[in-house]
Amino acid sequence: MRYELYYWPNIQGRGELVRLALEHAGCDYVDVARGKDGMKHLLHALSDPKRPRPSYAPPFLKVGKQIIGQTANILFYLGARHAELAPRGEADRLWVHQLQLTIADLVGEAHDTHHPLASSQYYEDQKPAAKKRAADFRKTRVPKYLGYFERVLSHNGKQLVGRRITYADLSLFQVVAGLRYAFPKAMKRIEREHPHVVALYERVEDLPKIAAYLASPRRVEFNEDGIFRRYPALDG
Amino acid sequence: MRYELYYWPNIQGRGELVRLALEHAGCDYVDVARGKDGMKHLLHALSDPKRPRPSYAPPFLKVGKQIIGQTANILFYLGARHAELAPRGEADRLWVHQLQLTIADLVGEAHDTHHPLASSQYYEDQKPAAKKRAADFRKTRVPKYLGYFERVLSHNGKQLVGRRITYADLSLFQVVAGLRYAFPKAMKRIEREHPHVVALYERVEDLPKIAAYLASPRRVEFNEDGIFRRYPALDG
């Protein structure tokens, strides 16, 4: 069955975590909002008052008549269906999901570095606060999160869980890519302390289907509308 | 089997969402950190370098040898084992989980109203920023989130999913209780627009096991170390 992904067409954002999973598993999918009349379909799906189980926000995935929202929930669903994305046993599946939810927390904090006061207002209108939040993010939060994943990797080996890549590895790759984009100076320093995380990043980058995807026009470029934004004032 | 819950002993926090589920399902559980040498056990479990699958932060639940972290993940696990907490079918279980993850987002935003710049620093040192973030939270975020749950409830009826209470209903009750505690003035106004949410709150409050729990010493009081804090400067 063809998956229909609904997400903002011009950013990587949280949708990218789903895109990477769909690509790595070789799924047949359509990125609805990037096609013809895409935004119209996305906005309709979000606001249709007849829909009994609406999603609060993109991304959501349509599979036949079922619609699944919340990034980590979508990945959990895909993990149960594609052996390329997660192990089979329940305890392992919950552990991968736990890691994914921790990655989600890090992604949320990355967003708030440029929007510490209100997501409804411009970055330019909250820049002094953004500088403070970003400084704390670089100094305490990123090292704490990456230190945690380093610890998990140093226990397990080349990937976060078991003997094969899972969707959590793909998401950790994406987060490191985003942190490198947004905070190049800080990451140069922080990465030295996290060799397992860097090795995983490089491994995921070289996975055949991921490498092909990253080189394709399907991969949206990082930009200053997404979660990870390159604002030099916030790096250091 | 007896569940062991690990969470900070002196706050409701995210652990409360798990406590409410355990109580409503009548589970045999121990709130480890509230017992003898509790904090020692909690901190050991968090930092033990021999643990191959550590949790990033409390709460986590120990079930025999398995340890499950991340609040929504714990609830998903419990929902599969206790019919009092979630329906059985996979699509319904994912939908309850999706709602729970949206509640988790709201909880995270509630926390950041008093810590918009750095969770490692005191509220008193980020008060001007907190006022701005809290104003946006009251004016745009709470109405958007509660409006979403109102929409879901107005489709489904007296509870969020299906014909019985689920853990997502218990969590929504807790969030409304927390918002009422932290933002009494704003909530008085906002609640008028969300009659289904208020009705659900009242229904959960009166569930026999929940009512007994709320009246017991097991329920920690709201306080200014938790996620929902009553700082009059942030209400309005």
Side-chain angles (χ1 to χ4, degrees):
Chain A
M1 185 174 307
R2 170 173 278 197
Y3 294 115
E4 292 178 25
L5 172 65
Y6 288 77
Y7 193 66
W8 308 117
N10 299 320
I11 61 169
Q12 294 185 5
R14 288 178 174 83
E16 197 66 14
L17 307 181
V18 182
R19 292 188 185 115
L20 286 168
L22 292 166
E23 293 281 345
H24 178 64
C27 297
D28 180 19
Y29 79 100
V30 53
D31 202 337
V32 175
R34 300 193 73 198
K36 189 173 179 314
D37 292 331
M39 275 301 285
K40 203 179 80 180
H41 293 305
L42 173 59
L43 294 175
H44 176 73
L46 259 181
S47 62
D48 181 3
K50 289 195 299 291
R51 202 166 283 230
R53 295 186 169 186
S55 287
Y56 180 78
F60 46 92
L61 189 74
K62 194 158 181 278
V63 192
K65 288 190 172 173
Q66 189 178 1
I67 298 176
I68 302 138
Q70 281 281 358
T71 308
N73 198 39
I74 297 169
L75 293 170
F76 186 78
Y77 171 88
L78 290 173
R81 273 150 194 80
H82 300 278
E84 298 86 347
L85 296 176
R88 285 198 174 268
E90 191 210 13
D92 284 350
R93 288 184 68 210
L94 290 173
W95 171 233
V96 177
H97 191 52
Q98 177 176 338
L99 293 167
Q100 187 65 39
L101 290 170
T102 304
I103 291 169
D105 289 341
L106 171 52
V107 168
E109 294 192 29
H111 170 272
D112 282 9
T113 57
H114 48 79
H115 279 79
L117 302 184
S119 54
S120 57
Q121 289 165 23
Y122 291 112
Y123 159 66
E124 286 72 17
D125 296 333
Q126 46 196 309
K127 210 165 151 180
K131 278 186 184 179
K132 288 183 189 167
R133 175 126 189 180
D136 182 72
F137 182 69
R138 297 188 320 260
K139 280 175 204 160
T140 74
R141 305 305 287 169
V142 175
K144 188 177 175 193
Y145 277 107
L146 294 193
Y148 171 73
F149 293 114
E150 183 73 16
R151 178 178 166 199
V152 172
L153 285 165
S154 65
H155 268 292
N156 193 65
K158 293 199 299 172
Q159 55 284 319
L160 289 164
V161 181
R163 298 188 176 190
R164 296 180 61 178
I165 289 287
T166 65
Y167 61 76
D169 296 308
L170 306 178
S171 290
L172 186 53
F173 158 81
Q174 173 66 14
V175 168
V176 171
L179 291 171
R180 283 183 174 186
Y181 176 78
F183 307 101
K185 285 186 196 168
M187 279 301 279
K188 206 169 169 183
R189 205 167 52 240
I190 295 168
E191 283 189 22
R192 283 190 215 117
E193 310 290 323
H194 303 89
H196 286 85
V197 171
V198 174
L200 174 65
Y201 171 91
E202 289 167 359
R203 186 169 160 222
V204 171
E205 191 180 30
D206 288 340
L207 292 169
K209 285 179 178 150
I210 295 295
Y213 167 65
L214 295 176
S216 79
R218 298 192 300 286
R219 170 80 163 181
V220 184
E221 302 270 336
F222 280 112
N223 62 53
E224 281 54 59
D225 292 316
I227 288 172
F228 297 102
R229 304 187 186 185
R230 181 167 286 174
Y231 293 139
L234 304 188
D235 192 16
Chain B
M1 184 174 308
R2 170 173 280 197
Y3 294 115
E4 292 179 24
L5 172 65
Y6 287 77
Y7 193 66
W8 307 117
N10 300 321
I11 61 169
Q12 294 183 5
R14 290 178 173 83
E16 197 66 14
L17 306 180
V18 182
R19 291 188 186 115
L20 286 168
L22 292 166
E23 293 281 346
H24 177 64
C27 296
D28 181 20
Y29 80 100
V30 53
D31 202 337
V32 176
R34 300 191 74 198
K36 189 173 177 312
D37 293 330
M39 275 301 286
K40 204 179 80 180
H41 293 305
L42 173 59
L43 294 175
H44 176 75
L46 258 181
S47 62
D48 182 2
K50 290 195 297 289
R51 203 166 282 234
R53 294 185 168 187
S55 288
Y56 180 78
F60 46 91
L61 189 73
K62 194 158 181 278
V63 192
K65 289 191 173 174
Q66 189 178 1
I67 299 176
I68 302 138
Q70 281 281 358
T71 308
N73 199 37
I74 297 169
L75 293 170
F76 186 79
Y77 171 89
L78 290 173
R81 274 151 194 78
H82 301 278
E84 297 88 347
L85 296 175
R88 286 200 173 267
E90 192 211 13
D92 285 349
R93 288 185 66 210
L94 290 174
W95 170 233
V96 177
H97 192 52
Q98 176 176 338
L99 293 168
Q100 187 66 38
L101 290 171
T102 304
I103 291 170
D105 289 341
L106 171 52
V107 168
E109 293 192 29
H111 170 273
D112 281 10
T113 56
H114 47 78
H115 278 79
L117 301 184
S119 54
S120 57
Q121 289 165 24
Y122 291 112
Y123 159 66
E124 285 73 16
D125 296 332
Q126 46 195 310
K127 209 164 152 180
K131 280 187 182 176
K132 289 182 187 166
R133 175 126 188 178
D136 181 73
F137 182 69
R138 297 189 320 261
K139 280 174 203 159
T140 74
R141 306 304 288 169
V142 175
K144 189 176 174 193
Y145 277 107
L146 293 193
Y148 171 74
F149 293 114
E150 184 73 15
R151 180 178 165 198
V152 173
L153 284 166
S154 65
H155 268 292
N156 193 64
K158 294 200 298 173
Q159 55 284 318
L160 289 164
V161 182
R163 297 187 176 191
R164 296 180 61 180
I165 288 287
T166 65
Y167 61 76
D169 295 308
L170 306 179
S171 290
L172 186 54
F173 157 81
Q174 172 65 15
V175 167
V176 171
L179 291 171
R180 282 182 175 187
Y181 176 78
F183 307 101
K185 285 186 195 167
M187 279 301 280
K188 205 169 170 182
R189 204 168 53 239
I190 295 168
E191 282 187 23
R192 284 190 214 117
E193 310 291 323
H194 302 89
H196 287 85
V197 171
V198 174
L200 175 65
Y201 172 91
E202 289 167 358
R203 185 168 161 224
V204 170
E205 191 179 29
D206 288 339
L207 292 170
K209 285 179 179 151
I210 295 295
Y213 167 65
L214 295 176
S216 79
R218 298 192 301 285
R219 171 80 162 181
V220 184
E221 301 271 336
F222 279 112
N223 60 54
E224 281 55 58
D225 292 316
I227 288 172
F228 296 102
R229 304 188 186 185
R230 181 168 287 174
Y231 292 138
L234 303 188
D235 192 16

